[in-house]
Amino acid sequence: MAVKVEIDNPTKIFNRIVTDAKRLEINNMVEKNMAPYVPRDTGALMSNTTVDDNGITYNENYAKINYEGTGRNFSREKNPLATAHWDKAMMTAKSGTVSREAERILKK
């Protein structure tokens, strides 16, 4: 005999567990871990960043072009790990660290 379990409102349960404050703390932690992978010349891309409970936004008008990396040759003088798709590069290198830190934040 099959048993089906339905959760009335998974979004409500998720939001009770993961508060806006915890999402903001996790996003700040992720942004700090991504910083070494963000291309840097003047530092404007990294300094003009908005971190809130919805995510991380790089606000410079060239952010998308740098993120995609098409036709870009990133200097690694100031950020030796600079690359396009810096979020993916960071997660490849630091997924364990980021996961453990996010888990720690959620358990607080």
Side-chain angles (χ1 to χ4, degrees):
M1 176 184 291
V3 176
K4 182 177 181 182
V5 177
E6 291 186 27
I7 298 173
D8 290 330
N9 190 341
T11 302
K12 184 177 179 181
I13 293 168
F14 177 81
N15 288 337
R16 188 175 66 231
I17 296 168
V18 184
T19 63
D20 289 349
K22 286 183 179 181
R23 278 196 291 266
L24 177 59
E25 189 174 349
I26 289 170
N27 289 342
N28 275 310
M29 177 268 299
V30 169
E31 191 270 335
K32 283 182 177 80
N33 277 282
M34 273 194 301
Y37 299 88
V38 177
R40 183 175 180 192
D41 182 22
T42 64
L45 183 60
M46 287 176 22
S47 359
N48 191 3
T49 304
T50 303
V51 181
D52 59 27
D53 59 323
N54 291 313
I56 303 160
T57 305
Y58 294 86
N59 298 304
E60 287 298 313
N61 60 359
Y62 56 85
K64 184 174 180 171
I65 295 167
N66 275 8
Y67 181 78
E68 293 300 329
T70 308
R72 298 288 195 198
N73 184 15
F74 300 121
S75 166
R76 291 189 169 75
E77 184 178 319
K78 295 179 182 172
N79 264 4
L81 301 173
T83 186
H85 301 276
W86 49 82
D87 57 335
K88 294 174 181 139
M90 181 274 297
M91 283 306 291
T92 298
K94 297 184 172 188
S95 62
T97 301
V98 169
S99 296
R100 284 187 298 277
E101 184 63 15
E103 183 177 0
R104 184 195 63 75
I105 292 167
L106 292 173
K107 286 182 176 179
K108 285 201 279 186

